[in-house]
């Protein structure tokens, strides 16, 4: 690949940071030659904005196999799709190299004979060059010896008498050596041509297999890079943030997201966040003030022009007054929904043992609840509101994660919130008391009221009368709302349940694969 100093520096820097690249280079070097150069070129094809391959005639014979592999990769139909994900991103380009490791091994094995032939041809070419150089030097020495002999003969008068100079033994030896060197050079050149032809034939025989492996390699790499990008998007990691992230930190984050329970939740979390973003867009589309028709009423600020025209005619002013008094003026009708919350959004997520049970599609109640909570985190940040995640189970067993609106939501903290599972029984008083205390602190610090608490649980439990009186008093004083989501079991949302009595708005979610069942929640928070 044609590369400038900046490209080479980027490769060296990435290589030094990636243990995977170093291990791969070391492994391939044990069995094949020039593999570090090959990995460099594979990286540059993915990284460079406008990759350009050198002409075949510019390459050493020993590098023709590498040239064939890179050519096959760049001619693959999947190559353009891969570059859309990797161009300009050293991490993604390095990931593409590692994703192609297995295919590179197969291509190098298939071209082993061709590589041996090419290296033999390169040795023969160099031998021919050395032989040609030696022949030239021998001819030069012979010429110099003849010249010296002629000069010496001229001193004794032989040249003046027109007789040929007598060659000295040294001159004859030089001439003979020059002839032998020329013959050697000619033979070496013929051997080099023959070796180059054999290498070309071996490489041509391996080319179909290399092209097939290259196509699989680029398809695999493109899929791996797209999958990781989708995984990052699902967890709310913006591309700009990824670019600023150090290589090793980004690699650890990707590994954490690919393994364990987080990998199983990525699709659900991504769907929840997309749904919530769609509901936010609907709020904008149907914002208060958008005209959707004509209605009747007495709001003078929305009277249509034809009604106002009646005021300009003295005979119709009385008619206008009568219609106004009866509330029958024709008005522009507007439609919209506005969030009423101003304080923090607090998601109380049940992490008792029963939440670990899998529902339809293998989705656990815990996964659904935390996906909903992370979408609420996005909702709060879009509205400039603080977000608090409270994980709870048995009495006194809670863990609180705070995400202030004026600070970025750190990815490790988000993942810790998603991964933490407490286990045990269920207590409503513990998380709701903590939520009320947080809203009280917010009111005392900033005078903000009207926070929103979302209780996500699959179980029902009792509360004491004394606690209930204090809860109602705090709710009246701070003006917060309580939303309830009964996950996976309808009995929690029955009319006589404790959760129903605690919540202003309660919904039951039985189909855990349908994220849209909670859509209305994101239109009012």
């Amino acid at each position: 690949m044609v590369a400038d100093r900046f490209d080479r520096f980027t490769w060296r820097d990435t290589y030094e940071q990636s243990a995977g690249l170093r291990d791969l280079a070391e492994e391939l070097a044990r069995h094949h030659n020039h593999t570090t150069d090959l990995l460099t070129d594979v990286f540059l094809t993915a990284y460079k904005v406008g990759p350009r391959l050198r002409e075949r005639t510019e390459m050493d014979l020993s590098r023709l196999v590498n040239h064939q592999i890179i050519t096959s990769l760049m001619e693959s139909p999947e190559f353009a799709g891969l570059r859309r994900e990797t161009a300009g991103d050293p991490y993604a380009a390095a990931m593409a190299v590692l994703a192609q490791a297995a295919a590179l091994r197969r291509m190098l094995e298939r071209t082993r004979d061709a590589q041996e032939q090419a290296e033999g041809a390169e040795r023969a070419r160099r031998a021919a060059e050395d032989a040609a150089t030696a022949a030239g030097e021998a001819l030069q020495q012979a010429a110099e010896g003849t010249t010296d002999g002629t000069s010496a003969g001229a001193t004794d008068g032989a040249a003046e008498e027109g007789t040929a100079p007598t060659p000295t033994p040294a001159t004859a030896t030089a001439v003979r050596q020059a002839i032998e060197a020329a013959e050697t050079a000619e033979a070496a050149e013929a051997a080099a041509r023959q070796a180059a032809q054999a290498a070309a034939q071996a490489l041509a025989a391996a080319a179909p297999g290399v092209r097939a492996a290259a196509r699989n390699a680029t398809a695999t790499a493109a899929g791996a890079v797209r999958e990781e990008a989708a995984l990052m998007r699902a967890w709310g990691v913006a591309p700009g943030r990824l670019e600023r992230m150090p290589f090793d930190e980004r690699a650890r984050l990707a590994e954490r997201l690919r393994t364990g329970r987080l990998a199983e939740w990525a699709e659900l979390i991504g769907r929840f966040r997309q749904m919530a973003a769609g509901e936010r867009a609907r709020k904008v589309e149907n914002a208060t003030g958008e005209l959707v028709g004509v209605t009747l009423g007495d709001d003078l600020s929305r009277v249509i022009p034809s009604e106002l025209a009646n005021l300009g005619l003295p005979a119709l002013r009385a008619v206008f007054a009568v219609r106004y008094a009866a509330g029958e003026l024709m008005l522009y009708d507007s439609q919209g929904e506005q969030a009423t919350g101003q304080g923090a959004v607090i998601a109380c997520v049940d992490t008792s043992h029963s939440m670990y049970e899998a529902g339809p599609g293998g989705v656990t109640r815990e996964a659904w609840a935390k996906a909903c909570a992370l979408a609420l985190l996005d909702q709060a940040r879009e509205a400039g509101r603080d977000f608090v995640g409270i994980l709870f189970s048995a009495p006194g067993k809670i863990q609180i994660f705070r995400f202030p609106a004026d600070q970025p939501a750190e990815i490790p903290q988000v993942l810790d919130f998603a991964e933490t599972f407490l286990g045990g029984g269920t207590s409503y008083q513990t998380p709701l008391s903590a939520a009320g205390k947080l809203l009280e602190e917010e009111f005392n610090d900033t005078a903000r009221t009207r926070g929103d608490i979302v209780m996500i649980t699959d179980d029902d439990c009792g509360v004491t009368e004394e606690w209930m009186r204090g809860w109602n008093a705090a709710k009246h004083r701070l003006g917060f709302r309580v939303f309830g989501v009964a996950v996976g079991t309808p009995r929690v949302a029955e009319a006589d349940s404790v959760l129903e009595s605690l919540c202003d708005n309660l919904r039951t979610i039985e189909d855990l694969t349908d994220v849209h069942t909670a859509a209305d929640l994101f239109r009012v928070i």
Side-chain angles (χ1 to χ4, degrees), residues 234-235 268-277 280 345 347 367-383 387 414 417 456 515 518 521-522 525:
W235 284 96
L268 180 66
I269 290 171
R271 287 166 55 203
F272 247 106
R273 282 180 151 152
Q274 290 177 0
M275 179 271 295
R280 287 195 295 274
V345 177
W368 194 98
K370 288 182 176 176
C372 182
L374 291 175
L376 287 170
L377 167 60
D378 292 346
Q379 193 87 348
R381 301 199 75 78
E382 286 290 331
F387 177 82
V414 174
F417 171 66
I456 309 175
V515 299
L521 186 66
F522 297 91
I525 292 182

Side-chain angles (χ1 to χ4, degrees), residues 139-155 159 165-168 170-172 174-175:
L139 288 172
Q140 181 67 26
Q141 291 175 0
E144 291 174 355
T146 301
T147 302
D148 293 343
T150 301
S151 300
T155 57
T166 302
T168 64
T171 301
V175 171

Side-chain angles (χ1 to χ4, degrees), residues 170-249:
T171 301
T173 300
V175 171
R176 185 170 62 254
Q177 289 176 346
I179 295 173
E180 292 174 354
E183 292 174 348
T184 301
E186 184 177 357
E189 185 177 353
R193 286 196 300 269
Q194 185 177 2
Q197 184 178 4
Q201 292 174 348
L203 192 57
V210 171
R211 284 193 292 269
R215 183 170 184 174
N216 292 333
T218 51
T220 300
V225 174
R226 279 195 295 267
E227 181 181 351
E228 180 166 311
L231 195 63
M232 294 296 182
R233 286 193 299 270
W235 284 96
V237 187
R241 191 169 187 178
L242 284 176
E243 293 177 3
R244 296 190 299 271
M245 195 176 294
F247 187 96
D248 54 348
E249 181 182 344

Side-chain angles (χ1 to χ4, degrees), residues 55 112 239 277 353 368 504:
E55 294 296 329
R112 182 184 291 275
H353 281 312
W368 194 98
D504 304 300

Side-chain angles (χ1 to χ4, degrees), residues 383-396:
R385 302 168 66 184
D386 293 348
F387 177 82
V388 180
I390 299 179
L391 305 179
F392 71 92
S393 59

Side-chain angles (χ1 to χ4, degrees), residues 12 31 38 119 128 151 157 222 235 238 255 282 293-294 311 343 346:
R12 288 193 298 270
H31 307 286
L38 176 61
E119 290 179 356
S151 300
W235 284 96
E255 181 64 20
R282 285 185 60 184
V294 176
L311 292 175
I346 301 178

Side-chain angles (χ1 to χ4, degrees), residues 147-499:
T147 302
D148 293 343
T150 301
S151 300
T155 57
D156 58 11
E160 295 177 0
E161 296 175 0
T163 60
T166 302
T168 64
T171 301
T173 300
V175 171
R176 185 170 62 254
Q177 289 176 346
I179 295 173
E180 292 174 354
E183 292 174 348
T184 301
E186 184 177 357
E189 185 177 353
R193 286 196 300 269
Q194 185 177 2
Q197 184 178 4
Q201 292 174 348
L203 192 57
V210 171
R211 284 193 292 269
R215 183 170 184 174
N216 292 333
T218 51
T220 300
V225 174
R226 279 195 295 267
E227 181 181 351
E228 180 166 311
L231 195 63
M232 294 296 182
R233 286 193 299 270
W235 284 96
V237 187
R241 191 169 187 178
L242 284 176
E243 293 177 3
R244 296 190 299 271
M245 195 176 294
F247 187 96
D248 54 348
E249 181 182 344
R250 184 170 172 181
R252 287 195 301 270
L253 174 61
E255 181 64 20
R256 186 176 181 184
L257 293 180
R258 279 196 299 265
T259 58
R261 297 189 300 157
L262 297 183
E264 301 173 2
W265 297 353
E267 181 183 358
L268 180 66
I269 290 171
R271 287 166 55 203
F272 247 106
R273 282 180 151 152
Q274 290 177 0
M275 179 271 295
E279 294 304 321
R280 287 195 295 274
R282 285 185 60 184
K283 283 185 178 182
V284 174
E285 291 172 1
N286 292 326
T288 299
E290 181 188 2
L291 303 180
V292 296
V294 176
T295 186
L296 300 179
D298 59 359
D299 187 350
L300 296 178
S301 66
R302 294 190 287 129
V303 176
I304 66 174
S306 61
E307 289 279 20
L308 290 174
N310 293 335
L311 292 175
L313 300 174
L316 295 179
R317 288 175 183 171
V319 175
F320 182 91
V322 171
R323 289 167 61 84
Y324 172 68
E328 295 178 353
L329 292 174
M330 297 179 67
L331 312 175
Y332 284 123
D333 189 16
S334 63
Q335 179 179 345
E337 291 176 338
Q338 286 187 323
T340 59
Q342 294 180 344
V345 177
I346 301 178
C348 299
V349 180
D350 187 353
T351 58
S352 60
H353 281 312
S354 58
M355 291 289 287
Y356 199 71
E357 296 178 6
V363 179
T364 65
R365 298 170 183 176
E366 179 202 9
W368 194 98
K370 288 182 176 176
C372 182
L374 291 175
L376 287 170
L377 167 60
D378 292 346
Q379 193 87 348
R381 301 199 75 78
E382 286 290 331
R385 302 168 66 184
D386 293 348
F387 177 82
V388 180
I390 299 179
L391 305 179
F392 71 92
S393 59
K397 200 170 183 180
I398 64 170
Q399 192 159 343
I400 299 175
F401 296 83
R402 298 184 182 222
F403 299 90
D406 58 351
Q407 298 177 18
E410 298 296 336
I411 298 302
Q413 186 183 14
V414 174
L415 298 183
D416 288 342
F417 171 66
E419 284 185 314
T420 301
F421 188 80
L422 302 178
T426 305
S427 169
Y428 286 174
Q429 290 185 194
T430 298
L432 291 177
S433 295
K437 183 178 180 181
L438 289 170
L439 293 177
E440 183 85 40
E441 292 174 355
E442 183 182 39
F443 174 75
N444 293 335
D445 292 341
T446 64
R448 282 200 299 264
T449 58
R450 294 159 58 192
D452 291 317
I453 299 174
V454 182
M455 187 77 168
I456 309 175
T457 182
D458 71 336
D459 200 1
D460 199 38
C461 66
V463 295
T464 65
E465 292 184 7
E466 181 180 359
W467 181 89
M468 194 67 178
R469 284 194 296 271
W471 172 256
N472 288 332
K475 186 177 179 182
H476 177 74
R477 183 174 65 259
L478 301 174
F480 59 79
R481 299 176 298 177
V482 181
F483 297 86
V485 182
V487 183
T489 173
R491 65 179 179 80
V492 182
E494 293 176 354
D496 59 347
S497 70
V498 175
L499 185 62

